[in-house]
DNA sequence: GTCTAATATTCTACAAAATAGAAAATATTG
DNA sequence: CAATATTTTCTATTTTGTAGAATATTAGAC
């Protein structure tokens, strides 16, 4: 039926974090961005697994960062959102928006 | 780390469909609502599996419908959103909103 | 130079969510 | 009762999500 056209929720968060960081995002910082922005606890393994999957699907592209980071440690891999990733993101958002449409303020949701 | 606190994307759609139908939703009609509203193709098995999971989690409650439907067929099971379901829905929405915040209109997304 | 601490990614293993479609149940109509 | 319509349940599988240990790499201390 549907064939891998949709994003999972965590995939959306990761994609959005990458978008927010506009080319400077890499595993660790992407995790920090999500945690900081949403308060959601996120394991680092979850982030990398998802980044890899999104790259495989063509939603993200990555490149090795400068070989000499500030303090030490392994080279960073920077991620950038691809056109297909933007589309997928917008598609997910439209889908949710259309479901929310007409729900708020109609009395269905006060004092949740 | 996080312990089952979050909704998957499809779970959100199902919960929203239930909310929209305000007590009258049952498996088949919930599926129609999602398809109609979002254009997304959805298998009936996916809907029922998700409804059951959401009920198990306490986000939905269900009850047998009237024993005599319009045309024939098995009795309907009507679903209703529970307070915990509303909360979960709002939590997911806030999370996504906070990630989208500042992204649109900044130039990051035109001509996706 | 070697050790230690810091930073980052990769790997392993598993749990939860999503998906499809066949099967079964139940009612209506003729 | 047979044929048909409606709805839910069941079975099986793939995809996503999750955690944390293991590994790699570099800088700085000494």
């Amino acid at each position: 039926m549907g064939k891998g056209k949709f994003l999972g929720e965590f995939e959306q968060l990761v994609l959005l974090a990458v978008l927010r960081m506009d080319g400077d995002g890499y595993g660790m910082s992407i995790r920090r961005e999500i945690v900081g922005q949403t308060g959601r606890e996120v394991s680092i393994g979850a982030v990398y697994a998802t980044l890899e999957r999104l790259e495989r699907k063509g939603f993200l592209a990555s490149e090795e960062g400068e070989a000499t980071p500030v303090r030490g440690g392994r080279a960073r891999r920077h991620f950038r959102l691809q056109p297909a990733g933007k589309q997928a993101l917008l598609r997910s958002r439209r889908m949710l928006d259309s479901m929310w449409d007409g729900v708020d303020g109609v009395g269905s949701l006060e004092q949740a």
Side-chain angles (χ1 to χ4, degrees), chain A residues 92-111:
Chain A
S92 288
R93 178 145 112 143
R94 276 192 226 103
M95 206 162 57
L96 273 171
D97 278 355
S98 64
M99 288 300 289
W100 274 106
D101 196 48
V103 167
D104 326 66
V106 187
S108 323
L109 270 173
E110 55 271 16
Q111 79 273 7

Side-chain angles (χ1 to χ4, degrees), chain A residues 1 12 15 41 53-54 58 61 63 66 71 80 86 89 91 107-108:
Chain A
M1 232 170 162
Q12 287 181 59
L15 241 28
E41 286 190 86
R53 198 185 323 131
L54 290 169
E63 54 181 333
E66 73 290 349
R71 171 61 219 242
R80 183 172 289 283
K86 292 188 186 181
L89 223 31
R91 202 158 359 110
S108 323

